[in-house]
Amino acid sequence: MADDEQTRRIVAARLALRERWQAKVKATPGVADARPLGSGPTNRHGMPQVPPGQTVTTKWPVLDLGERPQVSTASWRLTVDGAVRTSLELDFPGLLKLPQVQVSADFHCVTTWSLLDSRWGGVSLATVAAAAGLAEDATHVLTHGLDGYTTNLSLDEALKDDVLLVHTWNGQPLPYEHGGPVRVITPQLYAWKGAKWIGRLEFLTQDVLGFWEERGYSNTAHPWRDDRYS
Ligand SMILES: Nc1nc2c(c(=O)[nH]1)N[C@H]1C(S)=C(S)[C@@H](COP(=O)(O)O)O[C@H]1N2
Ligand SMILES: [Mo]
């Protein structure tokens, strides 16, 4: 992955977007100011509007590196390993046996679109982490998509209630182009922090940057702080 022509073009376009954003921040220093998070409900923070620089979309765009692994519910496996007490391999029926949760949340892509009010169904990442048992010195998790994509999370973020392994979107099976059968969502962070086609949760005792984080995207990725790039 990341060395074929299509992926190279996608990465170049996304890095060009970063350069334009940085030029804009330089020209208008106010845009770079950290903003208070607000105090409303999780995710929307009680504010009707989207985070700074975001525009509402009604059609859910598809964004990835151009390589879309076709994974069926029958073939899907999740490996949970690294800084855990017991490494696990979970199949789709196994995922459905864990406690199921529903989260209503918005989805903010760093390329400036926001999809509001999705109803996500799945299992809390924290539930899966608890099933494996985290090592005492675990601090981060690197999540791996089956397309080779990676993104990293601190455990503070990864273990939040609304960080899910999602298999259902608005009552329907998660479409494969959006990472089905199972992806991660991180409603309080930009959407790149949620790996589509999740195949591995690698718990870590130190931070390791993921695909976009290595390429200059913010390691913290808070939409309400306009925290896009590092
Ligand atoms: N496996 C994988 N997950 C990924 C990506 C990817 O390229 N591969 N792209 C990320 C980015 S940048 C975004 S904005 C969201 C887009 O999800 P969507 O295609 O369902 O809108 O997925 C994220 N997760
Ligand atoms: Mo994105």
Side-chain angles (χ1 to χ4, degrees):
M1 193 212 57
D3 43 304
D4 70 23
E5 186 52 35
Q6 188 188 22
T7 299
R8 262 203 304 280
R9 264 188 287 118
I10 292 167
V11 169
R14 295 285 295 259
L15 292 181
L17 204 61
R18 171 176 181 255
E19 260 164 42
R20 286 206 296 279
W21 181 86
Q22 284 178 322
K24 189 176 113 187
V25 167
K26 246 194 185 153
T28 55
V31 177
D33 290 348
R35 289 166 200 227
L37 280 175
S39 58
T42 303
N43 195 243
R44 190 79 56 82
H45 299 288
M47 293 184 257
Q49 76 276 28
V50 289
Q54 294 295 111
T55 306
V56 173
T57 180
T58 47
K59 278 214 174 124
W60 187 7
V62 172
L63 241 87
D64 51 46
L65 300 175
E67 210 176 292
R68 307 210 175 114
Q70 288 268 9
V71 199
S72 65
T73 53
S75 66
W76 181 79
R77 297 287 184 281
L78 176 72
T79 300
V80 185
D81 65 355
V84 294
R85 275 189 230 120
T86 323
S87 298
L88 292 182
E89 199 182 75
L90 211 59
D91 59 11
F92 196 74
L95 185 72
L96 296 186
K97 276 184 207 138
L98 295 173
Q100 304 294 302
V101 293
Q102 288 240 13
V103 165
S104 280
D106 304 338
F107 190 85
H108 306 297
C109 174
V110 71
T111 62
T112 76
W113 53 266
S114 290
L115 181 73
L116 301 185
D117 292 316
S118 286
R119 284 180 294 114
W120 307 99
V123 173
S124 283
L125 193 150
T127 300
V128 177
L134 293 186
E136 250 165 55
D137 53 353
T139 56
H140 293 79
V141 59
L142 189 65
T143 64
H144 299 252
L146 294 165
D147 58 345
Y149 182 80
T150 55
T151 184
N152 57 307
L153 293 165
S154 69
L155 291 187
D156 284 351
E157 293 295 343
L159 302 181
K160 284 184 174 163
D161 285 350
D162 59 356
V163 175
L164 305 189
L165 276 70
V166 160
H167 52 65
T168 301
W169 176 71
N170 289 349
Q172 299 296 323
L174 179 70
Y176 89 87
E177 67 272 22
H178 291 298
V182 188
R183 75 172 301 157
V184 176
I185 58 154
T186 58
Q188 299 183 50
L189 303 178
Y190 284 112
W192 87 76
K193 287 290 188 180
K196 297 159 72 163
W197 311 291
I198 187 70
R200 182 179 177 201
L201 301 178
E202 181 187 10
F203 287 92
L204 300 166
T205 56
Q206 58 178 54
D207 203 5
V208 172
L209 298 182
F211 184 89
W212 287 118
E213 292 82 2
E214 267 187 332
R215 289 165 177 77
Y217 280 48
S218 167
N219 198 24
T220 43
H222 289 290
W224 291 95
R225 294 182 177 139
D226 204 12
D227 171 22
R228 296 169 190 272
Y229 305 110
S230 53

